Amino acid sequence: MELTATTQVPFPGQVHPTEGGGVLISKLDEVINWARSNSLWPLVFGTSCCAIEMMSTASAKYDWSRFGFEVARATPRQADVIIIAGTIVNKMAPVLKRLYDQMADPKYVIAMGACATSGGPFFYNTYSVVKGADHVIPVDVYIAGCPPRPEALIHAMLTLQEKIKSGGTREQIKIDKDMNIING
Amino acid sequence: MQANIPFWVGGALIMSLTNEKIQQRLQEKFGELVSGFEEPYGMLTFAAPKENNIKVLQFLFDDEELRFQFLTALCAVHYPERKGEELAVVYHLHNLVDNVRIRFKVFTDINQPDVYTATSLYSTANWMERETFDFYGVNFVGHPNLKRILNVDEMDYFPLRKEFPLEDQTRRDKDDEMFGRGGSFM
């Protein structure tokens, strides 16, 4: 598989050739989605070992900036996507919720690894672990693994890009619904 | 100070502070109060009544020979079978000059788990005692801020006490023998 987002989903629209150039015809929604999907800024957020893999994905060897993720933000107010990299314990849950609430729309969530997906190795016999981060905030993409390899994280991010481009995120569906109500 | 640094003589490391010496100093000072001396894996271990824990720690800290001025770790152990002294508070102390470590225990009744705080001696005991309180419910008398540190504030039990089953008792997919607890191994 070729790992470039732009080859998976091409720019939305057609070029009508005319004399001395061409006219690009597209939908504004699709252009906005295309732009958004290619400049996702992740929040610096890691609660356990998955964060080590996430750091590896960000650094030179795997380099997620090839796909438009390079600007990791240390504040939720400037971030677009939160990668839940690690175990969420009961004490962390309200913090995670608060970070998510502080992010500006449109915002996306990736649950990285077994702990963030379901509690993972802490599913049984625990007194402190949240059994899946989706009990706290809604999740767009889940990654399997303990921890997932950097390739898996990159694949999840490309999947999120495709989801945004196809208008399949929760955010998009909500906007469509609201517009339908307004337009009758 | 120079004389206290370990040095090699004839192929043997000469430690200026040996376990025997520490034990001797403690027994000179406290007599019958200090007890249960043993050396698991070469580390001197002993116990004292919980009322005397600060006196012993203070002596270990101030004594010019012993100089145990670094608290490496502080934790508790729950021994359900030791009636009347179910909880042990364990101090790991380090003499950084002679590079010697010792282990000091006090035992307390789980129904009245009051132990004097070591925060006046070791600032690092502050968070360690909060953690020990959090997980075992040891009440450190005199602690400046004794509240939960790792678990949620609403928790109304002490999770590392052995009154809870280690895991789901209905599971049949784990062979106890493989975990050294039952089966034909024990």
Side-chain angles (χ1 to χ4, degrees), chain A residues 35-68:
Chain A
R36 278 178 177 165
S37 70
N38 285 319
S39 70
L40 288 168
W41 292 8
L43 178 68
V44 178
F45 180 80
T47 45
S48 55
C49 28
C50 277
I52 304 294
E53 296 296 302
M54 185 175 74
M55 287 176 236
S56 177
T57 317
S59 54
K61 182 160 180 174
Y62 293 95
D63 191 15
W64 69 21
S65 62
R66 293 178 292 156
F67 309 103

Side-chain angles (χ1 to χ4, degrees), chain A residues 48-96:
Chain A
S48 55
C49 28
C50 277
I52 304 294
E53 296 296 302
M54 185 175 74
M55 287 176 236
S56 177
T57 317
S59 54
K61 182 160 180 174
Y62 293 95
D63 191 15
W64 69 21
S65 62
R66 293 178 292 156
F67 309 103
F69 297 102
E70 67 269 41
V71 204
R73 294 279 107 176
T75 164
R77 297 177 198 284
Q78 297 171 357
D80 298 305
V81 55
I82 180 168
I83 300 166
I84 307 169
T87 320
I88 300 300
V89 292
N90 290 336
K91 196 161 185 175
M92 197 66 195
V95 181
L96 177 65

Side-chain angles (χ1 to χ4, degrees), chain A:
Chain A
M1 188 184 74
E2 198 168 343
L3 274 180
T4 50
T6 43
T7 53
Q8 285 180 332
V9 180
F11 183 80
Q14 299 113 34
V15 177
H16 289 251
T18 56
E19 269 179 57
V23 177
L24 179 71
I25 299 172
S26 179
K27 284 186 191 164
L28 192 56
D29 276 357
E30 288 183 4
V31 176
I32 290 171
N33 285 345
W34 176 82
R36 278 178 177 165
S37 70
N38 285 319
S39 70
L40 288 168
W41 292 8
L43 178 68
V44 178
F45 180 80
T47 45
S48 55
C49 28
C50 277
I52 304 294
E53 296 296 302
M54 185 175 74
M55 287 176 236
S56 177
T57 317
S59 54
K61 182 160 180 174
Y62 293 95
D63 191 15
W64 69 21
S65 62
R66 293 178 292 156
F67 309 103
F69 297 102
E70 67 269 41
V71 204
R73 294 279 107 176
T75 164
R77 297 177 198 284
Q78 297 171 357
D80 298 305
V81 55
I82 180 168
I83 300 166
I84 307 169
T87 320
I88 300 300
V89 292
N90 290 336
K91 196 161 185 175
M92 197 66 195
V95 181
L96 177 65
K97 175 73 167 66
R98 186 177 184 137
L99 285 170
Y100 180 76
D101 288 345
Q102 286 178 336
M103 285 164 67
D105 283 328
K107 52 192 172 186
Y108 313 101
V109 180
I110 293 176
M112 179 179 183
C115 291
T117 304
S118 66
F122 309 105
F123 185 81
Y124 292 108
N125 315 316
T126 180
Y127 55 90
S128 57
V129 176
V130 177
K131 293 170 183 182
D134 49 10
H135 287 290
V136 186
I137 58 174
V139 175
D140 288 294
V141 181
Y142 298 85
I143 320 172
C146 185
R149 283 193 57 88
E151 291 91 334
L153 179 57
I154 289 175
H155 182 254
M157 297 175 112
L158 298 185
T159 309
L160 178 63
Q161 285 186 332
E162 279 184 43
K163 197 173 176 179
I164 296 166
K165 280 171 187 153
S166 61
T169 59
R170 205 175 41 262
E171 170 75 14
Q172 290 290 318
I173 292 165
K174 185 173 174 295
I175 290 169
D176 289 349
K177 253 190 201 163
D178 292 349
M179 292 305 285
N180 285 339
I181 292 166
I182 291 164
N183 298 333

Side-chain angles (χ1 to χ4, degrees), chain B residues 86-142:
Chain B
E86 288 92 346
L87 284 177
V89 177
V90 187
Y91 303 86
H92 283 209
L93 301 164
H94 198 150
N95 173 335
L96 290 164
V97 180
D98 300 296
N99 197 21
V100 178
R101 276 155 47 88
I102 57 167
R103 188 188 287 121
F104 169 49
K105 292 182 179 181
V106 296
F107 293 90
T108 175
D109 190 334
I110 201 165
N111 297 315
Q112 201 191 347
D114 302 329
V115 175
Y116 292 119
T117 178
T119 44
S120 52
L121 268 175
Y122 305 100
S123 300
T124 184
N126 189 319
W127 282 16
M128 293 184 195
E129 287 182 351
R130 279 180 66 185
E131 186 192 8
T132 308
F133 163 74
D134 195 351
F135 284 99
Y136 294 90
V138 179
N139 180 35
F140 288 98
V141 178

